[in-house]
Amino acid sequence: MKCPKCQFENPDAQKFCGKCGSKVEKLCPNCGEGNPPEYGFCGECGHNLTQPSEPAPKDLSFDDKLTKIQKYLPKGLTDKILAQRDRIEGERKHVLSSRGFQGPKMFLIQE
């Protein structure tokens, strides 16, 4: 386990760094909370600390998303969709749904 202060590689069971003496903790990749080295799960959020953390997926720009979508759609369809984008984004419909004995509920669905 790497020391967060000096980056020295310590054995997993150690609670303090063998080089600089600072406290060695496992930082949760989900919430950032420090946990003792022996913990397998975060004490704050319950995230599995034994799995390698995956890098967060980067947010694609509008142009990147458009390029990715155009690979799968027939030619011209993307242009038609984008031409009507102003009308499509503002459209909302009210839907009435009833489930079991809970009674009817109103949902607002945005398409």
Side-chain angles (χ1 to χ4, degrees):
M1 169 173 272
K2 269 189 181 176
C3 172
K5 187 174 181 182
C6 71
Q7 304 303 314
F8 181 73
E9 191 64 41
N10 292 289
D12 284 341
Q14 281 189 278
K15 295 180 181 173
F16 293 91
C17 178
K19 186 175 181 181
C20 70
S22 65
K23 191 171 183 179
V24 179
E25 295 180 314
K26 281 186 184 177
L27 291 178
C28 176
N30 190 43
C31 69
E33 187 69 28
N35 292 280
E38 63 272 5
Y39 276 27
F41 293 88
C42 177
E44 183 68 26
C45 71
H47 184 76
N48 189 346
L49 299 173
T50 59
Q51 294 178 344
S53 61
E54 297 176 4
K58 70 170 196 163
D59 289 336
L60 298 175
S61 68
F62 179 75
D63 293 331
D64 292 338
K65 289 177 186 176
L66 186 60
T67 305
K68 198 170 188 177
I69 290 170
Q70 285 177 335
K71 290 181 195 176
Y72 302 104
L73 292 177
K75 290 185 178 184
L77 183 61
T78 310
D79 296 331
K80 287 181 183 179
I81 292 171
L82 290 175
Q84 297 180 8
R85 192 169 96 191
D86 298 341
R87 292 188 291 176
I88 293 172
E89 283 184 3
E91 185 176 341
R92 294 177 184 224
K93 295 180 180 178
H94 289 278
V95 178
L96 183 62
S97 172
S98 62
R99 293 183 282 167
F101 296 102
Q102 296 176 354
K105 294 187 178 182
M106 203 65 155
F107 295 99
L108 182 63
I109 296 178
Q110 182 175 358
E111 294 180 358

mmCIF file of all heavy atoms in Angstrom, residues 45-69:
data_model
loop_
_atom_site.group_PDB
_atom_site.id
_atom_site.type_symbol
_atom_site.label_atom_id
_atom_site.label_comp_id
_atom_site.label_asym_id
_atom_site.label_seq_id
_atom_site.Cartn_x
_atom_site.Cartn_y
_atom_site.Cartn_z
ATOM 1 N N CYS A 45 -19.416 4.508 2.789
ATOM 2 C CA CYS A 45 -20.412 4.277 1.727
ATOM 3 C C CYS A 45 -20.572 2.810 1.345
ATOM 4 O O CYS A 45 -21.458 2.478 0.564
ATOM 5 C CB CYS A 45 -20.067 5.093 0.481
ATOM 6 S SG CYS A 45 -18.620 4.496 -0.424
ATOM 7 N N GLY A 46 -19.715 1.912 1.868
ATOM 8 C CA GLY A 46 -19.849 0.480 1.579
ATOM 9 C C GLY A 46 -19.227 0.045 0.275
ATOM 10 O O GLY A 46 -19.376 -1.106 -0.136
ATOM 11 N N HIS A 47 -18.487 0.909 -0.408
ATOM 12 C CA HIS A 47 -17.854 0.567 -1.688
ATOM 13 C C HIS A 47 -16.769 -0.488 -1.472
ATOM 14 O O HIS A 47 -16.046 -0.457 -0.488
ATOM 15 C CB HIS A 47 -17.253 1.830 -2.320
ATOM 16 C CG HIS A 47 -16.663 1.612 -3.665
ATOM 17 N ND1 HIS A 47 -17.433 1.472 -4.786
ATOM 18 C CD2 HIS A 47 -15.377 1.502 -4.064
ATOM 19 C CE1 HIS A 47 -16.647 1.290 -5.828
ATOM 20 N NE2 HIS A 47 -15.389 1.305 -5.410
ATOM 21 N N ASN A 48 -16.648 -1.439 -2.407
ATOM 22 C CA ASN A 48 -15.645 -2.500 -2.334
ATOM 23 C C ASN A 48 -14.257 -1.902 -2.566
ATOM 24 O O ASN A 48 -13.980 -1.377 -3.641
ATOM 25 C CB ASN A 48 -15.960 -3.579 -3.366
ATOM 26 C CG ASN A 48 -15.095 -4.807 -3.197
ATOM 27 O OD1 ASN A 48 -14.091 -4.794 -2.494
ATOM 28 N ND2 ASN A 48 -15.494 -5.883 -3.849
ATOM 29 N N LEU A 49 -13.375 -1.981 -1.562
ATOM 30 C CA LEU A 49 -12.039 -1.406 -1.664
ATOM 31 C C LEU A 49 -11.024 -2.369 -2.260
ATOM 32 O O LEU A 49 -9.902 -1.979 -2.567
ATOM 33 C CB LEU A 49 -11.549 -0.962 -0.279
ATOM 34 C CG LEU A 49 -12.380 0.105 0.405
ATOM 35 C CD1 LEU A 49 -11.885 0.333 1.826
ATOM 36 C CD2 LEU A 49 -12.352 1.396 -0.382
ATOM 37 N N THR A 50 -11.407 -3.641 -2.439
ATOM 38 C CA THR A 50 -10.471 -4.628 -2.979
ATOM 39 C C THR A 50 -10.454 -4.622 -4.497
ATOM 40 O O THR A 50 -9.514 -5.103 -5.103
ATOM 41 C CB THR A 50 -10.810 -6.050 -2.491
ATOM 42 O OG1 THR A 50 -12.149 -6.374 -2.900
ATOM 43 C CG2 THR A 50 -10.695 -6.140 -0.986
ATOM 44 N N GLN A 51 -11.498 -4.089 -5.125
ATOM 45 C CA GLN A 51 -11.529 -4.014 -6.585
ATOM 46 C C GLN A 51 -10.701 -2.832 -7.048
ATOM 47 O O GLN A 51 -10.720 -1.770 -6.421
ATOM 48 C CB GLN A 51 -12.962 -3.832 -7.092
ATOM 49 C CG GLN A 51 -13.846 -5.010 -6.834
ATOM 50 C CD GLN A 51 -15.273 -4.739 -7.319
ATOM 51 O OE1 GLN A 51 -15.651 -3.609 -7.572
ATOM 52 N NE2 GLN A 51 -16.042 -5.794 -7.435
ATOM 53 N N PRO A 52 -9.977 -2.995 -8.159
ATOM 54 C CA PRO A 52 -9.239 -1.837 -8.679
ATOM 55 C C PRO A 52 -10.222 -0.772 -9.151
ATOM 56 O O PRO A 52 -11.254 -1.095 -9.728
ATOM 57 C CB PRO A 52 -8.442 -2.404 -9.852
ATOM 58 C CG PRO A 52 -9.115 -3.682 -10.214
ATOM 59 C CD PRO A 52 -9.800 -4.174 -8.963
ATOM 60 N N SER A 53 -9.909 0.464 -8.840
ATOM 61 C CA SER A 53 -10.825 1.536 -9.224
ATOM 62 C C SER A 53 -10.726 1.786 -10.723
ATOM 63 O O SER A 53 -9.648 1.807 -11.296
ATOM 64 C CB SER A 53 -10.515 2.804 -8.455
ATOM 65 O OG SER A 53 -9.211 3.234 -8.748
ATOM 66 N N GLU A 54 -11.882 1.961 -11.339
ATOM 67 C CA GLU A 54 -11.937 2.243 -12.767
ATOM 68 C C GLU A 54 -11.904 3.748 -12.959
ATOM 69 O O GLU A 54 -12.507 4.489 -12.189
ATOM 70 C CB GLU A 54 -13.234 1.690 -13.360
ATOM 71 C CG GLU A 54 -13.350 0.194 -13.253
ATOM 72 C CD GLU A 54 -14.701 -0.307 -13.754
ATOM 73 O OE1 GLU A 54 -15.501 0.508 -14.251
ATOM 74 O OE2 GLU A 54 -14.939 -1.504 -13.636
ATOM 75 N N PRO A 55 -11.199 4.198 -13.984
ATOM 76 C CA PRO A 55 -11.223 5.635 -14.231
ATOM 77 C C PRO A 55 -12.630 6.069 -14.630
ATOM 78 O O PRO A 55 -13.348 5.337 -15.304
ATOM 79 C CB PRO A 55 -10.239 5.824 -15.394
ATOM 80 C CG PRO A 55 -10.124 4.480 -16.034
ATOM 81 C CD PRO A 55 -10.420 3.467 -14.952
ATOM 82 N N ALA A 56 -13.017 7.232 -14.181
ATOM 83 C CA ALA A 56 -14.348 7.740 -14.502
ATOM 84 C C ALA A 56 -14.451 7.973 -16.000
ATOM 85 O O ALA A 56 -13.522 8.500 -16.605
ATOM 86 C CB ALA A 56 -14.604 9.035 -13.748
ATOM 87 N N PRO A 57 -15.575 7.576 -16.603
ATOM 88 C CA PRO A 57 -15.705 7.809 -18.035
ATOM 89 C C PRO A 57 -15.751 9.298 -18.322
ATOM 90 O O PRO A 57 -16.414 10.058 -17.618
ATOM 91 C CB PRO A 57 -17.034 7.132 -18.406
ATOM 92 C CG PRO A 57 -17.779 7.012 -17.131
ATOM 93 C CD PRO A 57 -16.760 6.947 -16.027
ATOM 94 N N LYS A 58 -15.001 9.709 -19.347
ATOM 95 C CA LYS A 58 -14.967 11.143 -19.643
ATOM 96 C C LYS A 58 -16.247 11.548 -20.349
ATOM 97 O O LYS A 58 -16.844 10.781 -21.094
ATOM 98 C CB LYS A 58 -13.751 11.503 -20.484
ATOM 99 C CG LYS A 58 -13.786 10.988 -21.905
ATOM 100 C CD LYS A 58 -12.669 11.601 -22.705
ATOM 101 C CE LYS A 58 -12.962 11.380 -24.186
ATOM 102 N NZ LYS A 58 -12.210 12.219 -25.036
ATOM 103 N N ASP A 59 -16.674 12.769 -20.085
ATOM 104 C CA ASP A 59 -17.861 13.306 -20.735
ATOM 105 C C ASP A 59 -17.507 13.659 -22.169
ATOM 106 O O ASP A 59 -16.531 14.363 -22.425
ATOM 107 C CB ASP A 59 -18.364 14.545 -20.003
ATOM 108 C CG ASP A 59 -18.975 14.213 -18.658
ATOM 109 O OD1 ASP A 59 -19.427 13.066 -18.489
ATOM 110 O OD2 ASP A 59 -18.995 15.104 -17.791
ATOM 111 N N LEU A 60 -18.302 13.150 -23.085
ATOM 112 C CA LEU A 60 -18.077 13.428 -24.487
ATOM 113 C C LEU A 60 -18.685 14.777 -24.855
ATOM 114 O O LEU A 60 -19.733 15.156 -24.347
ATOM 115 C CB LEU A 60 -18.712 12.335 -25.357
ATOM 116 C CG LEU A 60 -18.165 10.922 -25.177
ATOM 117 C CD1 LEU A 60 -18.980 9.936 -26.004
ATOM 118 C CD2 LEU A 60 -16.713 10.857 -25.590
ATOM 119 N N SER A 61 -18.028 15.477 -25.751
ATOM 120 C CA SER A 61 -18.588 16.732 -26.236
ATOM 121 C C SER A 61 -19.750 16.407 -27.174
ATOM 122 O O SER A 61 -19.938 15.268 -27.592
ATOM 123 C CB SER A 61 -17.519 17.538 -26.982
ATOM 124 O OG SER A 61 -17.184 16.878 -28.194
ATOM 125 N N PHE A 62 -20.536 17.427 -27.526
ATOM 126 C CA PHE A 62 -21.674 17.230 -28.411
ATOM 127 C C PHE A 62 -21.210 16.664 -29.753
ATOM 128 O O PHE A 62 -21.828 15.757 -30.301
ATOM 129 C CB PHE A 62 -22.418 18.556 -28.615
ATOM 130 C CG PHE A 62 -23.596 18.436 -29.535
ATOM 131 C CD1 PHE A 62 -24.759 17.830 -29.104
ATOM 132 C CD2 PHE A 62 -23.521 18.890 -30.845
ATOM 133 C CE1 PHE A 62 -25.847 17.698 -29.947
ATOM 134 C CE2 PHE A 62 -24.603 18.761 -31.690
ATOM 135 C CZ PHE A 62 -25.772 18.162 -31.247
ATOM 136 N N ASP A 63 -20.106 17.182 -30.275
ATOM 137 C CA ASP A 63 -19.598 16.702 -31.569
ATOM 138 C C ASP A 63 -19.144 15.248 -31.490
ATOM 139 O O ASP A 63 -19.367 14.473 -32.424
ATOM 140 C CB ASP A 63 -18.446 17.585 -32.048
ATOM 141 C CG ASP A 63 -18.897 18.992 -32.396
ATOM 142 O OD1 ASP A 63 -20.073 19.144 -32.810
ATOM 143 O OD2 ASP A 63 -18.097 19.932 -32.259
ATOM 144 N N ASP A 64 -18.506 14.861 -30.376
ATOM 145 C CA ASP A 64 -18.092 13.465 -30.203
ATOM 146 C C ASP A 64 -19.301 12.535 -30.139
ATOM 147 O O ASP A 64 -19.306 11.453 -30.714
ATOM 148 C CB ASP A 64 -17.250 13.303 -28.936
ATOM 149 C CG ASP A 64 -15.905 13.998 -29.044
ATOM 150 O OD1 ASP A 64 -15.436 14.233 -30.181
ATOM 151 O OD2 ASP A 64 -15.318 14.294 -27.979
ATOM 152 N N LYS A 65 -20.335 12.974 -29.407
ATOM 153 C CA LYS A 65 -21.556 12.171 -29.312
ATOM 154 C C LYS A 65 -22.208 12.025 -30.685
ATOM 155 O O LYS A 65 -22.657 10.939 -31.056
ATOM 156 C CB LYS A 65 -22.547 12.817 -28.343
ATOM 157 C CG LYS A 65 -22.129 12.743 -26.904
ATOM 158 C CD LYS A 65 -23.135 13.469 -26.029
ATOM 159 C CE LYS A 65 -22.675 13.541 -24.592
ATOM 160 N NZ LYS A 65 -23.600 14.309 -23.766
ATOM 161 N N LEU A 66 -22.246 13.117 -31.425
ATOM 162 C CA LEU A 66 -22.854 13.106 -32.749
ATOM 163 C C LEU A 66 -22.103 12.160 -33.685
ATOM 164 O O LEU A 66 -22.717 11.369 -34.405
ATOM 165 C CB LEU A 66 -22.876 14.524 -33.321
ATOM 166 C CG LEU A 66 -23.592 14.731 -34.635
ATOM 167 C CD1 LEU A 66 -25.062 14.329 -34.500
ATOM 168 C CD2 LEU A 66 -23.481 16.172 -35.077
ATOM 169 N N THR A 67 -20.784 12.207 -33.644
ATOM 170 C CA THR A 67 -19.974 11.314 -34.479
ATOM 171 C C THR A 67 -20.226 9.859 -34.117
ATOM 172 O O THR A 67 -20.351 9.000 -35.002
ATOM 173 C CB THR A 67 -18.476 11.645 -34.298
ATOM 174 O OG1 THR A 67 -18.265 13.023 -34.583
ATOM 175 C CG2 THR A 67 -17.612 10.794 -35.208
ATOM 176 N N LYS A 68 -20.329 9.581 -32.831
ATOM 177 C CA LYS A 68 -20.566 8.212 -32.368
ATOM 178 C C LYS A 68 -21.949 7.714 -32.805
ATOM 179 O O LYS A 68 -22.099 6.570 -33.236
ATOM 180 C CB LYS A 68 -20.441 8.175 -30.844
ATOM 181 C CG LYS A 68 -20.243 6.828 -30.269
ATOM 182 C CD LYS A 68 -19.897 6.936 -28.796
ATOM 183 C CE LYS A 68 -19.517 5.595 -28.260
ATOM 184 N NZ LYS A 68 -19.109 5.641 -26.874
ATOM 185 N N ILE A 69 -22.943 8.562 -32.712
ATOM 186 C CA ILE A 69 -24.304 8.182 -33.101
ATOM 187 C C ILE A 69 -24.398 7.961 -34.604
ATOM 188 O O ILE A 69 -25.063 7.039 -35.066
ATOM 189 C CB ILE A 69 -25.305 9.269 -32.643
ATOM 190 C CG1 ILE A 69 -25.436 9.248 -31.126
ATOM 191 C CG2 ILE A 69 -26.667 9.063 -33.287
ATOM 192 C CD1 ILE A 69 -26.208 10.410 -30.559
#
